[in-house]
Amino acid sequence: SNLQQVTKGNTIDTIRTAQLKVVYDKAKREKKLAEPPLVVNHQSCVYNGLLFVRSGLIGRFEDRKMWNQASVIDVYSITDRAYVASFYVYHIDQKKASRFFVHHDSFYAFIGTKLVRYTLTDMITSAYPPSNDTK
């Protein structure tokens, strides 16, 4: 009850309202979801002023073959409220990243029983706010 919204932003997906299909079960006299809801952003984490989001929807210009081989991570600047970049995290044994986190210039993801590490490019790390200490 004491929380106050500080800021609000948007991701680059085009979904603006929840896409839910609700049905009424007369026997139980209750409403329920007819199918699982559309998940737009599966996971996210924040590090040093950047928001990293694993997309749940294929992008308009996304290659279907690539979408089946890798997850897309979109990166946003929280301070500028702007899109920074996107990159792929490849599936291992048909498994997607179940969790991920970022530390300094490294992106870590748990994929199946493996922990993988990607080095973030300067395109991403140069978007870190200059006043923040990343150590």
Side-chain angles (χ1 to χ4, degrees):
S1 64
N2 294 329
L3 296 177
Q4 299 292 323
Q5 181 174 309
V6 176
T7 187
K8 184 178 176 180
N10 295 321
T11 55
I12 58 176
D13 62 85
T14 57
I15 305 296
R16 293 293 170 237
T17 57
Q19 296 184 7
L20 303 173
K21 291 187 180 175
V22 180
V23 294
Y24 183 73
D25 186 336
K26 290 180 183 179
K28 294 183 181 179
R29 296 175 48 193
E30 66 184 13
K31 291 180 183 179
K32 62 182 183 177
L33 293 176
E35 57 190 46
L38 180 67
V39 178
V40 177
N41 299 314
H42 272 279
Q43 299 168 250
S44 63
C45 76
V46 174
Y47 180 77
N48 200 14
L50 297 183
L51 171 65
F52 295 78
V53 177
R54 189 182 108 197
S55 179
L57 300 175
I58 189 167
R60 183 178 358 183
F61 303 110
E62 207 71 52
D63 181 281
R64 174 73 57 188
K65 185 177 177 185
M66 181 57 89
W67 181 258
N68 292 329
Q69 297 175 10
S71 295
V72 178
I73 307 295
D74 297 320
V75 184
Y76 303 89
S77 168
I78 292 173
T79 53
D80 297 338
R81 297 176 57 187
Y83 170 79
V84 173
S86 294
F87 61 92
Y88 294 108
V89 174
Y90 288 88
H91 304 162
I92 298 175
D93 300 327
Q94 288 90 39
K95 292 187 168 91
K96 296 179 180 185
S98 59
R99 296 282 181 261
F100 61 83
F101 63 97
V102 177
H103 187 68
H104 297 298
D105 67 345
S106 296
F107 177 92
Y108 297 91
F110 293 99
I111 304 174
T113 60
K114 299 179 179 6
L115 171 65
V116 297
R117 178 183 163 275
Y118 288 86
T119 300
L120 297 172
T121 65
D122 288 341
M123 181 192 316
I124 294 171
T125 59
S126 65
Y128 290 157
S131 61
N132 286 358
D133 183 11
T134 60
K135 295 180 182 177

